[in-house]
Amino acid sequence: ASLRHLPWEGGKTAHQAAPDRESRGGSEHPTHSSVSPVRCGINELQNRILPDMQGWAWHDVTGWAWGMGFFALIWYCFAPVIHFEHNKRGLPLKNFLFVPVLLASAMLASQAQSAGETSFRVDKIGAGSACRIVAVNRTVAPVTVAVKVTAGVHQHRPGQVRSLRAVIEPNSTREITRIQTKDHREPCRGEMTYTHSVGDAFAAPDLRHRYRLPFRKGTIVRVAQEPGGVLTTHKDDLSRYAFDLAVPEGTPVLAARAGSVIEIRDTFSEGRRDPKLAEKTNFVSIIHTDGTFAQYAHLTPHSILVRPGEWVEAGQMIGKSGNTGFAGGPHLHFDLRRARIGADGTVKQESLPLSFFSQRSGKKITLTQRKRITVD
């Protein structure tokens, strides 16, 4: 198996720096906006009756929204009035059936819009001679960010680069720094770049944690790839200590350690030895209390049982194994990662070593390539 950036990891280059967000109406807070009561009502209803939609791909939601909207239009325009009983006011019943269909379409469109929004960003906010660098984290996990700000010509020490690092808590907004020009008549200018990754780069990982095998008792597992094995595709920093555990498609996959779900993908169906499919892998990512996070990848489409923000216990079923993405056969790709700040000052992800232990005897399980074991 070959995985790339799972889950999200990235940043903005100098040419992609976040644009200035001019404050209006005296407010510079990036998360405050004017929302109509109708939109609020739709969001409230959506949060109550459609919680599972958090795991949908945005393009699936958009398709449903367009489809239901089109159906509502056809229904309203062409449904024969003669086939419907009239209410006391003489209005055709189709008008009333049109409303819930349109409402459901609006709910789906609202979900699609929110799903398409950037989950993490860093903005330069302000007008005039002062501005703030603000990080916005709309995810359910902490995010480590490294920001570089280059002073503009009208600022103190023009051309000076300031490197700033911070951990932004889930669903929060945090001011990282402020920029002030020497002359209040000059605009606040400067170049800003940033890199980020899920996880807390300053937390100490528990490398002695005893992981359980992510399968039910009695499951026969063949080790397809092991860390440092002779034949391996796990050669980069993201997967150096990963395991590929071959099991039949549809095998229940359990959490190897308790934690909180931070991301899932559940809609891809293709799977073969094709690097173009590396980003089309179904997976679950779970963050642990020490800031590390585990990847369970190549899962069967529409088999994932957990959602972002949900806490799972060790041994809880989270989905079923499959063969999606860049894969040479049915198996589960499992790896442990953490966020770190590299020597160049950018935020990266790195693979971490881990050990599995027997649930029955408590002894360490040695996983070597081509070895077959039965989960106890």
Side-chain angles (χ1 to χ4, degrees), residues 205-225:
D206 180 9
L207 300 180
R208 299 167 68 179
H209 185 84
R210 303 163 69 90
Y211 289 84
R212 60 165 295 156
L213 285 169
F215 303 107
R216 288 177 176 170
K217 180 179 179 179
T219 302
I220 299 176
V221 181
R222 181 177 61 84
V223 181
Q225 293 196 73

Side-chain angles (χ1 to χ4, degrees), residues 246-259:
V247 289
E249 286 193 58
T251 300
V253 175
L254 315 182
R257 179 179 177 181

